[in-house]
Amino acid sequence: MHNSIIVDVKGLRKRYGSFNAVNGVFFQVEKGEIFGLLGPNGAGKTTTIEMLVGLRKPDEGTATLAGFDVKTEVNKVKEVIGVQLQSTSLFELLKVEEILKLYGSFYPSHVNIDELIGDMLLTEKRNDRIKGLSGGQKQRLAIALALIHDPDIVFLDEPTTGLDPQARRTLWDIVLRLKERGKTIILSTHYMDEAHVLCDRVGIMDQGELIALDTPANLVKKLQSASTVEFHLSNPPEREWFLKMEGVKEVSIKDTFVQLYTDDLQSALTSLIQASEEHHFKIEDLQTRFATLEDVFIHMTGRSIRES
Ligand code: ATP
Protein backbone atom coordinates (compact mmCIF):
# COMPACT_ATOMS: atom_id res chain seq x y z
CA MET A 1 0.00 0.00 0.00
CA HIS A 2 1.24 3.49 -0.83
CA ASN A 3 2.31 5.26 2.34
CA SER A 4 0.06 8.25 2.09
CA ILE A 5 -3.07 6.33 1.09
CA ILE A 6 -5.34 6.44 4.12
CA VAL A 7 -8.62 5.26 2.56
CA ASP A 8 -8.65 2.36 0.14
CA VAL A 9 -12.00 1.28 -1.30
CA LYS A 10 -12.15 -1.78 -3.53
CA GLY A 11 -15.30 -2.82 -5.29
CA LEU A 12 -17.88 -1.93 -2.62
CA ARG A 13 -21.36 -3.04 -3.54
CA LYS A 14 -24.71 -2.79 -1.78
CA ARG A 15 -27.97 -4.24 -3.04
CA TYR A 16 -31.46 -3.70 -1.73
CA GLY A 17 -33.35 -6.64 -3.22
CA SER A 18 -32.50 -6.57 -6.89
CA PHE A 19 -31.62 -2.85 -6.80
CA ASN A 20 -27.92 -1.94 -6.86
CA ALA A 21 -27.66 1.13 -4.60
CA VAL A 22 -23.86 1.02 -4.86
CA ASN A 23 -22.53 -0.96 -7.76
CA GLY A 24 -18.86 -1.76 -7.17
CA VAL A 25 -16.97 1.48 -6.48
CA PHE A 26 -13.20 1.81 -6.27
CA PHE A 27 -11.28 4.84 -4.99
CA GLN A 28 -8.37 5.82 -2.80
CA VAL A 29 -7.92 8.91 -0.66
CA GLU A 30 -4.58 10.34 0.40
CA LYS A 31 -3.83 11.55 3.88
CA GLY A 32 -4.76 15.21 4.25
CA GLU A 33 -7.03 15.32 1.21
CA ILE A 34 -10.59 16.58 1.01
CA PHE A 35 -12.30 13.98 -1.15
CA GLY A 36 -15.81 14.67 -2.42
CA LEU A 37 -18.53 12.29 -3.50
CA LEU A 38 -20.69 14.38 -5.79
CA GLY A 39 -23.97 13.27 -7.29
CA PRO A 40 -27.73 13.76 -7.36
CA ASN A 41 -30.09 12.45 -4.68
CA GLY A 42 -30.17 8.67 -4.70
CA ALA A 43 -26.80 8.28 -6.44
CA GLY A 44 -25.47 6.11 -3.61
CA LYS A 45 -23.28 8.60 -1.75
CA THR A 46 -24.81 8.05 1.69
CA THR A 47 -24.82 4.27 1.27
CA THR A 48 -21.12 4.38 0.33
CA ILE A 49 -20.30 6.45 3.42
CA GLU A 50 -22.44 4.24 5.64
CA MET A 51 -20.55 1.15 4.46
CA LEU A 52 -17.22 2.85 5.17
CA VAL A 53 -18.15 3.91 8.69
CA GLY A 54 -19.51 0.49 9.62
CA LEU A 55 -23.24 1.30 9.59
CA ARG A 56 -24.06 -0.96 6.65
CA LYS A 57 -22.50 -4.23 5.66
CA PRO A 58 -21.21 -4.29 2.08
CA ASP A 59 -22.50 -7.21 -0.02
CA GLU A 60 -19.21 -7.28 -1.86
CA GLY A 61 -15.86 -5.55 -1.83
CA THR A 62 -13.45 -4.36 0.84
CA ALA A 63 -12.29 -1.08 2.29
CA THR A 64 -9.56 -0.09 4.70
CA LEU A 65 -9.36 3.11 6.73
CA ALA A 66 -5.89 3.91 8.11
CA GLY A 67 -5.05 0.29 7.33
CA PHE A 68 -8.02 -1.19 9.27
CA ASP A 69 -10.58 -3.35 7.51
CA VAL A 70 -14.12 -1.94 7.77
CA LYS A 71 -15.61 -5.43 7.94
CA THR A 72 -13.33 -7.17 10.40
CA GLU A 73 -11.75 -4.39 12.48
CA VAL A 74 -14.77 -2.23 13.27
CA ASN A 75 -13.57 -1.13 16.70
CA LYS A 76 -10.19 0.00 15.37
CA VAL A 77 -11.93 1.83 12.53
CA LYS A 78 -14.15 3.68 15.03
CA GLU A 79 -11.08 5.03 16.81
CA VAL A 80 -9.69 6.67 13.69
CA ILE A 81 -12.88 8.09 12.18
CA GLY A 82 -15.32 10.85 13.06
CA VAL A 83 -18.74 10.84 11.47
CA GLN A 84 -21.37 13.49 10.84
CA LEU A 85 -24.35 11.95 9.10
CA GLN A 86 -27.40 13.61 7.57
CA SER A 87 -29.49 11.84 10.17
CA THR A 88 -27.40 12.87 13.18
CA SER A 89 -30.00 13.54 15.83
CA LEU A 90 -28.95 15.61 18.80
CA PHE A 91 -30.45 15.57 22.28
CA GLU A 92 -32.44 18.77 21.91
CA LEU A 93 -32.73 19.52 25.62
CA LEU A 94 -29.02 19.31 26.38
CA LYS A 95 -26.79 22.36 26.24
CA VAL A 96 -23.94 22.64 23.75
CA GLU A 97 -21.21 22.19 26.32
CA GLU A 98 -23.07 19.36 28.08
CA ILE A 99 -23.40 17.21 24.98
CA LEU A 100 -19.75 17.71 24.10
CA LYS A 101 -18.71 16.64 27.61
CA LEU A 102 -21.04 13.66 27.39
CA TYR A 103 -19.59 12.52 24.06
CA GLY A 104 -16.06 13.17 25.35
CA SER A 105 -16.74 10.81 28.27
CA PHE A 106 -17.35 7.97 25.82
CA TYR A 107 -13.66 7.95 24.85
CA PRO A 108 -10.51 7.22 26.84
CA SER A 109 -9.23 10.67 25.86
CA HIS A 110 -10.75 13.64 24.08
CA VAL A 111 -9.73 17.02 22.70
CA ASN A 112 -9.96 20.22 24.74
CA ILE A 113 -13.64 21.11 24.72
CA ASP A 114 -13.14 24.88 25.05
CA GLU A 115 -10.91 24.89 22.00
CA LEU A 116 -13.30 22.71 20.05
CA ILE A 117 -16.21 25.03 20.88
CA GLY A 118 -14.09 27.98 19.73
CA ASP A 119 -12.98 26.26 16.52
CA MET A 120 -16.62 25.54 15.63
CA LEU A 121 -17.60 29.19 16.35
CA LEU A 122 -19.98 28.17 19.12
CA THR A 123 -18.45 30.02 22.08
CA GLU A 124 -21.44 32.33 22.49
CA LYS A 125 -23.80 29.37 22.36
CA ARG A 126 -22.02 27.07 24.78
CA ASN A 127 -24.69 27.38 27.48
CA ASP A 128 -27.66 27.35 25.10
CA ARG A 129 -29.93 24.38 24.64
CA ILE A 130 -29.51 22.58 21.32
CA LYS A 131 -33.14 23.07 20.34
CA GLY A 132 -32.60 26.84 20.12
CA LEU A 133 -29.66 26.67 17.72
CA SER A 134 -29.88 27.64 14.04
CA GLY A 135 -29.41 25.03 11.31
CA GLY A 136 -25.82 26.10 10.74
CA GLN A 137 -25.02 26.05 14.46
CA LYS A 138 -26.50 22.56 14.82
CA GLN A 139 -24.45 21.39 11.87
CA ARG A 140 -21.27 22.83 13.43
CA LEU A 141 -22.13 21.10 16.70
CA ALA A 142 -22.57 17.80 14.83
CA ILE A 143 -19.09 18.29 13.36
CA ALA A 144 -17.70 19.12 16.81
CA LEU A 145 -19.13 15.83 18.09
CA ALA A 146 -17.46 14.00 15.20
CA LEU A 147 -14.13 15.56 16.19
CA ILE A 148 -14.27 14.97 19.95
CA HIS A 149 -11.79 12.04 19.96
CA ASP A 150 -9.42 13.74 17.49
CA PRO A 151 -9.96 11.31 14.59
CA ASP A 152 -7.67 11.23 11.53
CA ILE A 153 -10.48 10.75 9.02
CA VAL A 154 -13.69 12.81 9.12
CA PHE A 155 -16.86 11.90 7.20
CA LEU A 156 -19.34 14.66 6.43
CA ASP A 157 -22.55 13.61 4.69
CA GLU A 158 -24.05 16.61 2.86
CA PRO A 159 -22.88 19.00 5.56
CA THR A 160 -24.48 22.13 4.09
CA THR A 161 -27.79 20.85 2.75
CA GLY A 162 -30.57 23.19 3.81
CA LEU A 163 -28.27 25.95 5.08
CA ASP A 164 -28.42 29.56 3.88
CA PRO A 165 -25.49 30.90 1.82
CA GLN A 166 -23.81 32.62 4.77
CA ALA A 167 -23.99 29.50 6.96
CA ARG A 168 -22.65 27.40 4.07
CA ARG A 169 -19.60 29.66 3.68
CA THR A 170 -18.91 29.52 7.42
CA LEU A 171 -18.99 25.75 7.23
CA TRP A 172 -16.67 25.71 4.20
CA ASP A 173 -14.13 27.73 6.21
CA ILE A 174 -14.34 25.24 9.04
CA VAL A 175 -13.81 22.29 6.69
CA LEU A 176 -10.80 24.00 5.09
CA ARG A 177 -9.32 24.66 8.53
CA LEU A 178 -9.69 20.97 9.41
CA LYS A 179 -7.68 20.16 6.31
CA GLU A 180 -4.99 22.65 7.35
CA ARG A 181 -4.70 20.75 10.60
CA GLY A 182 -3.97 17.56 8.70
CA LYS A 183 -7.35 15.84 8.82
CA THR A 184 -8.46 13.70 5.90
CA ILE A 185 -12.02 14.55 4.93
CA ILE A 186 -14.54 12.61 2.91
CA LEU A 187 -17.68 14.55 2.19
CA SER A 188 -20.73 14.04 0.05
CA THR A 189 -22.60 16.83 -1.63
CA HIS A 190 -24.93 17.59 -4.47
CA TYR A 191 -23.68 21.16 -4.69
CA MET A 192 -21.25 21.73 -7.56
CA ASP A 193 -19.84 24.95 -6.11
CA GLU A 194 -19.17 23.21 -2.81
CA ALA A 195 -17.25 20.42 -4.53
CA HIS A 196 -15.30 22.98 -6.54
CA VAL A 197 -14.35 25.13 -3.55
CA LEU A 198 -13.58 22.40 -1.04
CA CYS A 199 -12.43 19.24 -2.74
CA ASP A 200 -8.94 18.30 -3.86
CA ARG A 201 -10.49 15.47 -5.83
CA VAL A 202 -14.06 14.60 -6.67
CA GLY A 203 -15.72 11.30 -7.48
CA ILE A 204 -18.89 11.85 -9.47
CA MET A 205 -21.55 9.27 -8.60
CA ASP A 206 -24.64 8.44 -10.60
CA GLN A 207 -26.98 5.48 -10.13
CA GLY A 208 -24.62 3.61 -7.83
CA GLU A 209 -21.56 4.01 -10.06
CA LEU A 210 -18.52 6.22 -9.81
CA ILE A 211 -18.52 7.66 -13.32
CA ALA A 212 -15.56 10.04 -13.04
CA LEU A 213 -12.81 10.79 -10.55
CA ASP A 214 -10.27 13.61 -10.70
CA THR A 215 -9.50 17.11 -9.47
CA PRO A 216 -12.32 19.59 -10.20
CA ALA A 217 -10.01 21.45 -12.60
CA ASN A 218 -9.12 18.30 -14.55
CA LEU A 219 -12.73 17.14 -14.74
CA VAL A 220 -13.68 20.45 -16.33
CA LYS A 221 -10.60 20.43 -18.59
CA LYS A 222 -11.46 16.97 -19.92
CA LEU A 223 -14.71 18.40 -21.27
CA GLN A 224 -12.63 20.08 -23.96
CA SER A 225 -15.15 22.88 -23.87
CA ALA A 226 -13.76 25.53 -21.64
CA SER A 227 -16.65 27.95 -22.02
CA THR A 228 -20.37 28.07 -22.44
CA VAL A 229 -22.39 30.64 -24.36
CA GLU A 230 -25.96 30.87 -23.13
CA PHE A 231 -28.90 32.83 -24.51
CA HIS A 232 -32.61 32.80 -25.17
CA LEU A 233 -34.11 32.68 -28.65
CA SER A 234 -37.87 32.72 -29.19
CA ASN A 235 -37.81 30.03 -31.89
CA PRO A 236 -34.45 28.25 -31.87
CA PRO A 237 -33.46 26.12 -34.89
CA GLU A 238 -32.38 22.46 -34.52
CA ARG A 239 -29.29 21.48 -32.57
CA GLU A 240 -27.50 20.46 -35.80
CA TRP A 241 -27.81 23.99 -37.10
CA PHE A 242 -25.72 25.36 -34.23
CA LEU A 243 -23.23 22.49 -34.46
CA LYS A 244 -22.28 23.66 -37.97
CA MET A 245 -21.10 26.98 -36.56
CA GLU A 246 -17.37 27.53 -36.19
CA GLY A 247 -16.05 26.91 -32.69
CA VAL A 248 -19.17 25.16 -31.37
CA LYS A 249 -18.54 21.68 -29.96
CA GLU A 250 -21.75 20.76 -28.21
CA VAL A 251 -25.24 22.22 -27.98
CA SER A 252 -28.08 21.85 -25.55
CA ILE A 253 -31.51 23.38 -26.19
CA LYS A 254 -34.36 23.49 -23.70
CA ASP A 255 -37.39 25.42 -25.03
CA THR A 256 -36.03 28.89 -25.72
CA PHE A 257 -32.80 28.41 -23.73
CA VAL A 258 -29.72 27.55 -25.80
CA GLN A 259 -26.29 26.56 -24.47
CA LEU A 260 -23.31 26.33 -26.81
CA TYR A 261 -20.18 24.61 -25.50
CA THR A 262 -16.91 25.79 -26.98
CA ASP A 263 -13.16 25.79 -26.48
CA ASP A 264 -12.85 28.81 -28.77
CA LEU A 265 -15.09 31.47 -27.32
CA GLN A 266 -14.16 34.18 -29.83
CA SER A 267 -15.04 32.06 -32.91
CA ALA A 268 -18.26 30.81 -31.35
CA LEU A 269 -19.40 34.34 -30.49
CA THR A 270 -18.42 35.73 -33.90
CA SER A 271 -20.30 33.02 -35.77
CA LEU A 272 -23.30 33.40 -33.49
CA ILE A 273 -23.50 37.16 -34.11
CA GLN A 274 -23.08 36.69 -37.88
CA ALA A 275 -25.76 34.01 -37.97
CA SER A 276 -28.14 36.12 -35.92
CA GLU A 277 -27.73 39.06 -38.31
CA GLU A 278 -28.24 36.94 -41.42
CA HIS A 279 -31.32 35.20 -40.04
CA HIS A 280 -32.68 38.14 -38.02
CA PHE A 281 -32.56 36.21 -34.77
CA LYS A 282 -33.35 38.19 -31.68
CA ILE A 283 -30.87 36.91 -29.13
CA GLU A 284 -31.73 37.74 -25.53
CA ASP A 285 -29.90 37.45 -22.22
CA LEU A 286 -26.61 36.47 -23.82
CA GLN A 287 -24.03 35.34 -21.28
CA THR A 288 -20.73 33.54 -21.41
CA ARG A 289 -19.24 31.61 -18.54
CA PHE A 290 -16.52 29.09 -17.83
CA ALA A 291 -17.56 25.44 -17.79
CA THR A 292 -18.23 23.99 -14.33
CA LEU A 293 -18.64 20.58 -12.73
CA GLU A 294 -22.35 20.90 -13.54
CA ASP A 295 -21.43 20.84 -17.24
CA VAL A 296 -19.28 17.75 -16.63
CA PHE A 297 -22.31 15.98 -15.15
CA ILE A 298 -24.58 17.06 -18.03
CA HIS A 299 -22.04 15.82 -20.58
CA MET A 300 -21.63 12.47 -18.89
CA THR A 301 -25.26 11.67 -18.12
CA GLY A 302 -27.32 13.89 -20.40
CA ARG A 303 -29.11 15.21 -17.29
CA SER A 304 -28.66 18.11 -14.95
CA ILE A 305 -27.63 17.08 -11.45
CA ARG A 306 -30.51 19.13 -10.03
CA GLU A 307 -33.24 17.52 -12.11
CA SER A 308 -32.02 13.95 -11.55
P1 ATP B 1 -29.23 11.40 -0.86
O1 ATP B 1 -28.53 12.65 -1.14
O2 ATP B 1 -30.70 11.48 -1.15
O3 ATP B 1 -28.94 10.78 0.48
P2 ATP B 1 -27.48 9.44 -1.94
O4 ATP B 1 -26.65 9.64 -3.14
O5 ATP B 1 -26.80 9.55 -0.63
O6 ATP B 1 -28.70 10.42 -1.97
P3 ATP B 1 -28.35 6.89 -1.01
O7 ATP B 1 -29.04 7.43 0.20
O8 ATP B 1 -27.08 6.19 -0.83
O9 ATP B 1 -28.16 8.03 -2.10
O10 ATP B 1 -29.38 5.93 -1.73
C1 ATP B 1 -29.08 5.23 -2.91
C2 ATP B 1 -30.30 4.47 -3.37
O11 ATP B 1 -30.59 3.39 -2.51
C3 ATP B 1 -31.56 5.33 -3.42
O12 ATP B 1 -32.27 5.01 -4.60
C4 ATP B 1 -32.33 4.88 -2.19
O13 ATP B 1 -33.72 5.02 -2.40
C5 ATP B 1 -31.92 3.44 -2.06
N1 ATP B 1 -31.95 2.98 -0.64
C6 ATP B 1 -31.26 3.52 0.39
N2 ATP B 1 -31.49 2.85 1.53
C7 ATP B 1 -32.36 1.84 1.23
C8 ATP B 1 -33.00 0.79 1.97
N3 ATP B 1 -32.76 0.62 3.26
N4 ATP B 1 -33.84 -0.03 1.30
C9 ATP B 1 -34.06 0.12 0.00
N5 ATP B 1 -33.50 1.10 -0.80
C10 ATP B 1 -32.66 1.94 -0.18
Side-chain angles (χ1 to χ4, degrees):
M1 189 171 86
H2 192 279
N3 237 354
S4 63
I5 303 283
I6 191 165
V7 177
D8 195 2
V9 179
K10 290 195 177 122
L12 281 188
R13 190 186 295 269
K14 184 75 196 172
R15 287 189 205 91
Y16 298 113
S18 60
F19 174 71
N20 283 316
V22 175
N23 200 7
V25 301
F26 291 77
F27 63 89
Q28 294 181 321
V29 181
E30 287 190 29
K31 200 170 179 327
E33 251 190 323
I34 301 183
F35 182 87
L37 287 172
L38 175 68
N41 289 334
K45 307 179 298 291
T46 300
T47 307
T48 302
I49 290 179
E50 287 175 344
M51 286 192 281
L52 291 178
V53 303
L55 286 172
R56 279 182 207 260
K57 224 170 147 283
D59 293 317
E60 275 172 44
T62 59
T64 57
L65 303 181
F68 301 117
D69 189 308
V70 298
K71 280 183 181 162
T72 58
E73 295 172 289
V74 181
N75 288 335
K76 288 281 182 196
V77 166
K78 282 194 179 144
E79 285 173 24
V80 295
I81 65 170
V83 184
Q84 172 265 315
L85 291 173
Q86 277 177 62
S87 54
T88 302
S89 53
L90 303 165
F91 302 98
E92 296 268 298
L93 292 176
L94 285 184
K95 294 178 179 164
V96 168
E97 188 176 350
E98 284 171 349
I99 195 170
L100 286 163
K101 284 189 173 155
L102 176 68
Y103 271 60
S105 72
F106 298 156
Y107 294 91
S109 69
H110 61 76
V111 298
N112 180 303
I113 287 179
D114 288 338
E115 276 176 30
L116 184 58
I117 288 176
D119 289 348
M120 295 301 130
L121 310 176
L122 289 169
T123 305
E124 282 168 20
K125 299 284 164 188
R126 66 185 301 151
N127 293 316
D128 287 18
R129 287 190 203 283
I130 293 166
K131 69 173 185 188
L133 300 182
S134 71
Q137 288 160 350
K138 277 188 186 160
Q139 204 57 293
R140 301 205 299 274
L141 178 59
I143 296 176
L145 294 171
L147 295 172
I148 195 97
H149 56 300
D150 200 19
D152 295 325
I153 308 168
V154 184
F155 289 88
L156 306 173
D157 193 9
E158 304 204 354
T160 66
T161 294
L163 300 188
D164 64 56
Q166 179 62 41
R168 291 180 70 210
R169 294 226 162 75
T170 306
L171 214 91
W172 291 355
D173 284 341
I174 283 177
V175 174
L176 289 169
R177 253 182 280 141
L178 289 177
K179 176 190 160 76
E180 273 170 24
R181 287 170 29 204
K183 304 283 180 203
T184 304
I185 296 155
I186 297 188
L187 65 86
S188 75
T189 183
H190 55 253
Y191 295 120
M192 303 289 160
D193 54 346
E194 182 158 297
H196 220 128
V197 170
L198 290 183
C199 299
D200 297 301
R201 286 184 310 136
V202 173
I204 299 185
M205 282 195 85
D206 186 39
Q207 298 176 354
E209 318 252 348
L210 205 57
I211 57 173
L213 198 171
D214 211 328
T215 63
N218 280 345
L219 286 168
V220 172
K221 205 155 80 190
K222 279 184 201 154
L223 270 182
Q224 295 185 321
S225 309
S227 309
T228 308
V229 182
E230 302 177 338
F231 50 92
H232 284 271
L233 206 55
S234 52
N235 226 336
E238 297 287 300
R239 218 175 134 260
E240 287 65 29
W241 191 88
F242 289 104
L243 278 171
K244 286 193 205 118
M245 289 177 7
E246 204 187 327
V248 174
K249 290 207 129 174
E250 190 50 79
V251 181
S252 132
I253 305 175
K254 213 171 249 170
D255 304 324
T256 61
F257 184 55
V258 184
Q259 288 173 297
L260 308 179
Y261 293 95
T262 177
D263 55 4
D264 182 350
L265 188 57
Q266 184 148 356
S267 300
L269 278 176
T270 310
S271 29
L272 177 65
I273 302 297
Q274 271 171 4
S276 68
E277 276 170 5
E278 275 167 33
H279 298 269
H280 305 289
F281 286 157
K282 196 164 173 292
I283 292 176
E284 282 175 24
D285 298 333
L286 178 77
Q287 287 188 7
T288 66
R289 60 174 179 83
F290 290 117
T292 64
L293 285 175
E294 171 81 32
D295 301 308
V296 176
F297 191 81
I298 294 174
H299 268 250
M300 297 194 71
T301 66
R303 311 190 308 280
S304 157
I305 206 160
R306 282 164 296 204
E307 68 195 31
S308 302

